[in-house]
Amino acid sequence: MKKNHPLRRIVLAGAATVSGIVLLLALKPASDPAASSADGVPQGQQSVAPQGSGGTQAADAAQAQTLTGDVVKTDYGNVQVRITVAGGKITSAAALQSPTGGRSTTVSTDAVPKLNKAAVTTGTADIDAVSGATYTSGGYKKSLQSALDKAGAPGGGSADTGGTGGTGGTGGTGGGSGSGDASGSGAGAAQAKTVTGKAVTTDYGPVQVRITVSGGKITKAEAVQSPSGGRSSQVTSDSVPKLNKAAVAAGSADIDAVSGATYTSGGYKESLQSALDQAGG
């Protein structure tokens, strides 16, 4: 029998060893399931950024504020208005008090919802009086304005507003409590100051004017007292808004008397001048 050469045995053994190593390498997994990803975060996990609460911030930015106006007395009963203000706007309005009893209940039932709607729509006290409810409308507007004043809001944008009826007799008198407001543009540029003039006695009753002055100009005027009774209520409804508007437009007491309301016009101008004197105007 032919003997195997020792060198041949060595070659065969080496080949067997290499084959075993190759086989082991072939069986090793190509990747480790538990290996970390390239960015250092284990597979199956994600980095989640916290989410903010922007909606809450937006809600806090417009905090609602509920304000109740002054009680205003009219010939048919008291009127008092409560409003809710949010984001600088009136979002709701309601009359806490309004004339009641007899026909007054019917008038209030018809007028108050209209006044509430007008207040929300305009966002000011510069709203039209409801036909057939002059006194209630005038009281509503005054109470509404006082509520807006508490909220730091400007008054109505028009100088011509109605008011509760005052009086006049022969030669006319009468100023109601209507307010006259200048345009609200530039509001806040100067500190507003409200000044009440002296009460001036006329042949038909006292007249007293209150004004708001800002930046050296009259931005609002209203009669807080005026004669009342009889036919003069009609004279008042016509004359006082005109006097209020004239005061805002002129910025002084140098305004024309309203025809048919000579006494009230004279008292109004005198009280207005005393208010301007107190304001340094």
Side-chain angles (χ1 to χ4, degrees):
M1 187 170 75
K2 187 177 180 180
K3 294 184 180 180
N4 292 329
H5 197 279
L7 181 60
R8 179 182 178 84
R9 237 183 285 162
I10 293 173
V11 172
L12 291 175
T17 302
V18 172
S19 298
I21 293 173
V22 171
L23 181 60
L24 289 174
L25 291 175
L27 293 176
K28 185 178 180 181
S31 61
D32 186 356
S36 298
S37 62
D39 58 359
V41 180
Q43 293 181 359
Q45 298 184 10
Q46 294 181 351
S47 177
V48 180
Q51 298 179 354
S53 55
T56 301
Q57 296 176 355
D60 292 341
Q63 184 67 35
Q65 184 180 22
T66 300
L67 303 152
T68 302
D70 297 337
V71 176
V72 179
K73 295 181 179 180
T74 74
D75 288 356
Y76 296 97
N78 296 338
V79 179
Q80 186 178 29
V81 178
R82 181 175 61 194
I83 60 173
T84 299
V85 179
K89 297 180 179 180
I90 299 176
T91 57
S92 70
L96 301 182
Q97 296 187 53
S98 59
T100 58
R103 184 174 177 277
S104 294
T105 300
T106 303
V107 173
S108 294
T109 301
D110 174 68
V112 170
K114 295 178 181 178
L115 293 167
N116 291 337
K117 182 177 180 180
V120 173
T121 301
T122 62
T124 72
D126 184 19
I127 57 178
D128 294 332
V130 175
S131 178
T134 305
Y135 290 90
T136 299
S137 298
Y140 186 101
K141 291 161 69 174
K142 282 192 68 176
S143 184
L144 173 58
Q145 183 60 58
S146 70
L148 287 169
D149 290 341
K150 294 176 183 179
S158 168
D160 189 3
T161 69
T164 58
T167 65
T170 315
T173 66
S177 57
S179 65
D181 298 346
S183 171
S185 59
Q191 185 66 36
K193 179 165 61 172
T194 300
V195 184
T196 302
K198 67 179 181 180
V200 178
T201 302
T202 73
D203 289 353
Y204 299 97
V207 178
Q208 188 174 27
V209 178
R210 180 172 60 197
I211 60 173
T212 299
V213 179
S214 179
K217 296 181 180 180
I218 299 175
T219 58
K220 176 184 172 186
E222 61 182 337
V224 294
Q225 286 193 65
S226 59
S228 60
R231 176 184 171 278
S232 299
S233 297
Q234 298 177 355
V235 176
T236 294
S237 297
D238 174 67
S239 63
V240 169
K242 293 178 180 178
L243 292 167
N244 291 335
K245 183 176 182 178
V248 173
S252 71
D254 186 16
I255 57 178
D256 294 332
V258 175
S259 177
T262 306
Y263 290 93
T264 297
S265 297
Y268 186 102
K269 292 165 67 176
E270 186 175 345
S271 181
L272 173 59
Q273 185 60 60
S274 72
L276 286 169
D277 290 341
Q278 293 179 51

